[in-house]
Amino acid sequence: MNEQINQEIKENYLSVLESIGIACKKADRSPDQVTLIAVSKTKPVEMLQQIYDCGCRHFGENKVQELVDKYEKLPKDIHWHMIGHLQRNKVKYIIDKVDFIHGVDSFELAQEISRQAVKHNRTVNILIEINVADEESKFGVSFNDAETLVLQISTLENISIRGFMTVAPYVDNSEENRQHFVKLKQLSVDIKNKNIDNTCIDVLSMGMTNDYKIAISEGATFVRVGTGVFGERNYSM
Ligand SMILES: *Cc1c(COP(=O)(O)O)cnc(C)c1O
């Protein structure tokens, strides 16, 4: 792999970390309250290894096969995050490999995660996906349906509901997404305060390359950054 590209990725990674630090400081938060998930979808393992060598231990993938392939090839102390829409019949391939499944938006999917988790004798952390702007094209449940889904899923074995995630709308001015982050934070506080069994609401997965600084100022604990670390994705490769 091209040495210059590798160097660029390392520099990008360190500069995103630095920006996270600055955003935390501005928001009067400690930088260890925010975890950078490097979204590595479509990128080769050599690139992931570059930032692993700089200390990155959280990677996000959105395709089951790709996550499994990369899991096999990279060091075992990586925390893998499944951030894409997960089909029920594929849960079994990743259940023993992921730390977090972001994007759970149905009871049926949660049931399958629970079933596989029991089989593998482990507990899996999940995040409930919220479609914050009610976009037709997006996965996730509405704010109104969130509590009901949490209550249903909380009855399942070997699942720990850790909080919420969202993919905010694509906007030209990222400030437009602040309102959604504020609402999602409020939802997480409201539901945390209900002390529902099997929930430990301490994670808020929001913010991507274009809006992670704003998300941090509104309480994100996971930011999912792809382009900002690895550069533009080329889906035709
Ligand atoms: C691709 C993706 C990201 C990263 O997007 P960037 O804009 O490249 O930072 C974050 N979250 C999810 C769910 C994604 O699919």
Side-chain angles (χ1 to χ4, degrees), residues 84-110:
H85 187 69
L86 181 58
Q87 286 171 309
R88 266 181 286 166
N89 61 352
K90 293 192 175 164
V91 172
K92 56 177 178 282
Y93 301 118
I94 57 159
I95 197 73
D96 56 339
K97 300 181 176 63
V98 292
D99 254 43
F100 272 87
I101 298 178
H102 301 227
V104 176
D105 64 357
S106 76
F107 182 61
E108 291 71 25
L109 173 59

Side-chain angles (χ1 to χ4, degrees), residues 18-108:
E18 195 182 343
S19 300
I20 290 174
I22 294 168
C24 285
K25 201 162 199 181
K26 271 194 195 159
D28 216 0
R29 304 179 60 197
S30 155
D32 40 73
Q33 292 177 343
V34 178
T35 300
L36 169 60
I37 300 174
V39 176
S40 44
K41 62 195 188 196
T42 77
K43 300 296 179 182
V45 286
E46 290 78 9
M47 288 191 182
L48 282 68
Q49 183 71 50
Q50 291 301 314
I51 60 170
Y52 176 90
D53 293 343
C54 297
C56 186
R57 292 295 180 274
H58 291 263
F59 289 90
E61 289 287 336
N62 69 343
K63 295 227 160 61
V64 166
Q65 188 60 51
E66 195 173 340
L67 189 151
V68 171
D69 287 346
K70 288 174 177 170
Y71 174 92
E72 304 293 349
K73 290 182 183 139
L74 286 162
K76 292 297 170 281
D77 62 343
I78 289 176
H79 302 279
W80 291 97
H81 297 256
M82 179 66 203
I83 61 170
H85 187 69
L86 181 58
Q87 286 171 309
R88 266 181 286 166
N89 61 352
K90 293 192 175 164
V91 172
K92 56 177 178 282
Y93 301 118
I94 57 159
I95 197 73
D96 56 339
K97 300 181 176 63
V98 292
D99 254 43
F100 272 87
I101 298 178
H102 301 227
V104 176
D105 64 357
S106 76
F107 182 61
E108 291 71 25

Side-chain angles (χ1 to χ4, degrees), residues 126-149:
I126 68 158
L127 302 175
I128 307 292
E129 180 166 3
I130 307 292
N131 184 350
V132 289
D134 283 322
E135 293 171 281
E136 292 244 352
S137 58
K138 292 262 172 81
F139 294 106
V141 295
S142 68
F143 279 105
N144 285 338
D145 294 335
E147 186 179 345
T148 308
L149 185 59

